[in-house]
Structures are given as C-alpha cells and as structure tokens.
Amino acid sequence: MTSGEQGREQPSAHGGGSGSGGGGDWQRDVLRELGGGGSGASDAGTHTGAEAGAGAGTEGDAPGPHVPGPYVPAHAPGAVLPNASASPDTSASSSGAPGGPDGSTPPSPVPADQAADEPVPQRPAAPAARGPRFPAAPAPESSPTLDPRLLLALGRPLHGDSVTRRTGRALRKLTSSVAQDVAEQTRIARELQQPVTTGRLVAVTSIRGGVGKSTVSALLGRTLNHYRHDPVLTLEADAALGTLPVRMGAEAVRWTCADLAPILHPSMQLTDVTGYLVPVSDGGWLLPASRGQVGPPLDMTSYRKVTLALRRYFAVTVVDCETLPGEVARTAMDTAHARVVVAPATAEGVNATRQVLDWLARLPHSALATTVVALVSGTPDTLLDDKTAAGHLKEAGVTVVTVPYDRHLAGGGPIRTDLLAHDTRQAVLRLAAEVMGRAVRVR
C-alpha cells in the first residue's frame, strides 16, 4: 500500500457534518433496502459510486444515519448473501446469440430488399450482466463466548441495589418532584437522540486492563441503542481475550474484526454487512476481536479499514480499544469523534489517567474538548475520595462522570440493564449524553 493510499484510508476526526441536519435521504434509502424495495439496490449503488468506496474514502464521503426497518437476514429471498458472487449467464454463446442444435450459430435472415452478396450487419453482443463480487473467504467456525461448564456454574445475578435501598428510594419518590425528574430525563434523551450526518466513532480506552473498560463500552452501546432509532455497533478492538462479547450477552462469535478487513466492499448492502455481525439480544450489533483464543493482535491498517467502512451503515460505533499505549488504541483515540478514558477510583489509577489526559492535550487537534473521563469504583470500600479524584482530573480540562460501585456489574457475566442500580443507570445516561454531545459537535 502506498503512502497516498494510507492517507486516503486515514479517517479524520473533523470530517463529516454537524449533527443538526441532513441524513434524511440516506434514511429512506436504507429503509427501502431493508424492506426489499425495488429501488433499494440502485440507491445503494448510487451511494457507492459517489463515495468512491468506504475503505479508501474520506470521512466527509460517508452518508449519515438511517432509521432501520425490520431486520432482513442475509439469507432472506432477494438479499445478497455474504461471500456470494454473481456469475454471467453461460447459456448464451460468446456472440450473445443462442446456438443451434449442433453448437453452431444459425445464419441471420437476409431482408428481401437486400442483395445476397451484401454483407449482413452483425448486432454487437450484449455484455454479460455482472453482480457485485465479494471476495471468497472460508467461514470460520463458531466459538462459544463461555465454556458450557462455566455457564452451569453461574449463579443468579444480583441486583445492583439491595432490597433496603430499593425500598427507601421508592418511599422518597412519593415526596420528590416528578416534574424535575421528567425534565432531566427529557434533556438526556434529547442529547442521546441527536441526528448525525456521518457515522460517529466513540473510542473507549484505559491506562491498564481490569478497570471496567469493556463494561463501560457495553453500557454505552446498550444505552445508545436503546435511545436511538438508527443502528448502533459495538466493536471490539482488543484481541487480548476481551470480555466485551460476554458483557454484551453474546452466546457465540464467528467473524472477527480482522476477518472482515479483506471482505468489506463498497458494493455491500446493510443486509450483507449484518450477516457477519452478532445481533445483540436487546438490539444493536456486535463485532468481536477474537473467538476466545489467543491470536495475532489487530493491526492498525485493518482497524482503519473496518471502522471507516462500517461507518457507512451505523450512525454510532462504540469501539472498545486496547489499553494505552497500544498502537491501535493511539490511532483510535486520535481519529475518534469522542473519547472515553476509564479511570479506576484509586490513587495510582487517577494519577496515570492524568498523564493520559496530558498526552491528549499535546495532539495536533484539540482532543481534550471531546474527551470524557469515567471514574469507576470497583469496590464498595473505596479509600480515595471521589470528589478529590474528580477534581484532580478536571484540572486537565475534561468532564468527569463518576460511575459508582454496582453489585450486578461486579459479579461479571452478561449485563442486564434491568438489574443495574439506580445510581449506575443515571451515571451511564449522563456519560452517554456527554459523549454523544461531543461526538455530534465535531465536524
């Protein structure tokens, strides 16, 4: 790949449009595509030609969000199957005319007013119709996200709030201002539902593993999918046996991010792409980074190609990056529209996160303006004062959202949003609203 091609593949964090307008035409196009309408395929081809390909285009070429209709699987009638290739009709001869019984081409009739020795004009052969050709790739074996024996060993998940806390909050609701709560929820929902003109990338990372990075990514993906009416993708860019598929509730995974890099093609439709993804039980899509086995790490070129191509189909993509200072993590943080740095509520964790914020401040563009810190408490007995830790991080010029300790999240396994503690749900809503507001404002 030449340096010029790499430059075209590099997405810009400032490309695309603001979230205040546009995107309506693309929404109607995708609705026709999902509904199997006659104009859906032609409209998708029009977008493809105008955008010069998702894998080598610029951010401004990507269309905006769309409102999906009922999901049409890739194997449905009329849908193009992944890895399928259309072949020309072999029943016609090379000249485009049907052959005779002996395999020869019958002579063309000569008009009565034409001399017998005058040459008969031959009609040019019609070009063979060709459909979109996708690279032939063997389908990998499906792998469970958890060993079946571990699934049997899982106990009943706990609610994030104890019975006493839930009872006390129910009593306080009787005397609280309902109008104030409704106004706050309406404001947050408006922030989360802002329209976008191009797919937005939200990168989530941390300074080390085990602090809740994948948990925050899963919470953001589920929250955005719940409030938005266009497709949301949660992508795992950490091949070090990440826990994102488990936290998202996926029972098995097959195609990974590295597998899709050579397969994605500009002529693919939304139904073709979703055939390679894992549908999440309560909505949205998941693209894992591994099949539960130690393998080669995701390289920067594959990450750029996959994320830039998939932005044509998904309004928001939440990327669960590897920990800093990995190469893919640095690329994701530099090219995302919004960034989330997950910091553990410990003295050493907050100190290391402050160093990451200082690094973001030295990037060529203003990255701190689009960065939010999630200060996560992993134990109910935190020694560090949350207000002091948040104040130290805010000195770098970022917004800090504190995610309190939650018994349900601390237990591991699939996340059930109905079992989250009340304070956790409110913190995640504020975090998602802050992130989406920053992602939309980036041009």
Side-chain angles (χ1 to χ4, degrees), residues 136-154:
E141 294 292 335
S142 179
S143 301
T145 55
L146 282 178
D147 191 286
R149 292 170 296 180
L150 295 177
L151 291 176
L152 296 176
L154 282 177

Side-chain angles (χ1 to χ4, degrees), residues 277-349:
L277 307 179
V278 180
V280 183
S281 58
D282 54 353
W285 303 93
L286 166 69
L287 178 59
S290 67
R291 285 182 287 273
Q293 300 173 353
V294 177
L298 181 66
D299 60 278
M300 185 175 58
T301 303
S302 298
Y303 169 79
R304 288 204 307 254
K305 181 177 181 180
V306 170
T307 54
L308 191 60
L310 292 179
R311 282 176 50 198
R312 299 178 60 243
Y313 310 97
F314 298 93
V316 184
T317 300
V318 179
V319 182
D320 180 15
C321 304
E322 61 180 353
T323 56
L324 290 169
E327 183 183 39
V328 174
R330 294 198 307 268
T331 302
M333 294 291 285
D334 188 30
T335 57
H337 300 91
R339 305 154 182 86
V340 179
V341 180
V342 181
T346 60
E348 60 273 21

Side-chain angles (χ1 to χ4, degrees), residues 204-208 210-213 216 340-346 348-354 356-357 372-378 384 389 393 400-403:
V204 183
T205 189
S206 61
I207 194 61
R208 59 182 175 86
V211 301
K213 173 177 61 67
V216 171
V340 179
V341 180
V342 181
T346 60
E348 60 273 21
V350 172
N351 183 70
T353 303
R354 177 61 187 271
V356 173
L357 299 178
V372 182
V373 175
L375 186 61
V376 178
S377 298
L384 185 65
L393 295 172
V400 180
V401 177
T402 301
V403 181

Side-chain angles (χ1 to χ4, degrees), residues 27-345:
Q27 294 175 359
R28 290 192 293 269
D29 294 341
V30 175
L31 280 176
R32 287 195 296 268
E33 176 186 321
L34 286 173
S39 60
S42 61
D43 291 341
T46 304
H47 287 306
T48 302
E51 292 157 9
T58 59
E59 180 181 333
D61 296 331
H66 42 79
V67 182
Y71 168 58
V72 180
H75 59 273
V80 180
L81 290 175
N83 300 334
S85 60
S87 58
D89 186 7
T90 58
S91 61
S93 62
S94 59
S95 62
D102 57 351
S104 62
T105 303
S108 301
V110 181
D113 57 350
Q114 184 174 351
D117 57 349
E118 184 176 347
V120 179
Q122 298 292 332
R123 178 174 297 180
R130 293 181 180 270
R133 286 185 176 272
F134 302 135
E141 294 292 335
S142 179
S143 301
T145 55
L146 282 178
D147 191 286
R149 292 170 296 180
L150 295 177
L151 291 176
L152 296 176
L154 282 177
R156 184 179 179 181
L158 295 175
H159 196 286
D161 284 328
S162 62
V163 177
T164 304
R165 296 186 63 180
R166 281 179 280 171
T167 303
R169 187 171 57 256
L171 295 176
R172 288 192 297 271
K173 278 186 176 181
L174 299 177
T175 58
S176 62
S177 174
V178 178
Q180 183 177 358
D181 293 340
V182 171
E184 178 65 13
Q185 295 296 326
T186 303
R187 183 192 67 81
I188 291 178
R190 188 180 298 112
E191 287 286 332
L192 295 176
Q193 295 173 355
Q194 293 184 77
V196 296
T197 54
T198 58
R200 305 282 95 176
L201 289 177
V202 178
V204 183
T205 189
S206 61
I207 194 61
R208 59 182 175 86
V211 301
K213 173 177 61 67
S214 297
T215 299
V216 171
S217 301
L219 291 172
L220 284 177
R222 287 177 175 267
T223 302
L224 292 172
N225 177 77
H226 176 76
Y227 279 88
R228 298 192 64 84
H229 301 287
D230 37 24
V232 175
L233 173 66
T234 307
L235 185 148
E236 186 182 31
D238 185 2
L241 299 180
T243 59
L244 182 63
V246 177
R247 299 302 256 169
M248 295 291 289
E251 297 181 358
V253 295
R254 173 172 291 183
W255 297 92
T256 65
C257 192
D259 295 332
L260 254 63
I263 294 177
L264 291 174
H265 192 271
S267 63
M268 298 177 71
Q269 301 178 5
L270 177 62
T271 50
D272 302 322
V273 174
T274 54
Y276 295 102
L277 307 179
V278 180
V280 183
S281 58
D282 54 353
W285 303 93
L286 166 69
L287 178 59
S290 67
R291 285 182 287 273
Q293 300 173 353
V294 177
L298 181 66
D299 60 278
M300 185 175 58
T301 303
S302 298
Y303 169 79
R304 288 204 307 254
K305 181 177 181 180
V306 170
T307 54
L308 191 60
L310 292 179
R311 282 176 50 198
R312 299 178 60 243
Y313 310 97
F314 298 93
V316 184
T317 300
V318 179
V319 182
D320 180 15
C321 304
E322 61 180 353
T323 56
L324 290 169
E327 183 183 39
V328 174
R330 294 198 307 268
T331 302
M333 294 291 285
D334 188 30
T335 57
H337 300 91
R339 305 154 182 86
V340 179
V341 180
V342 181

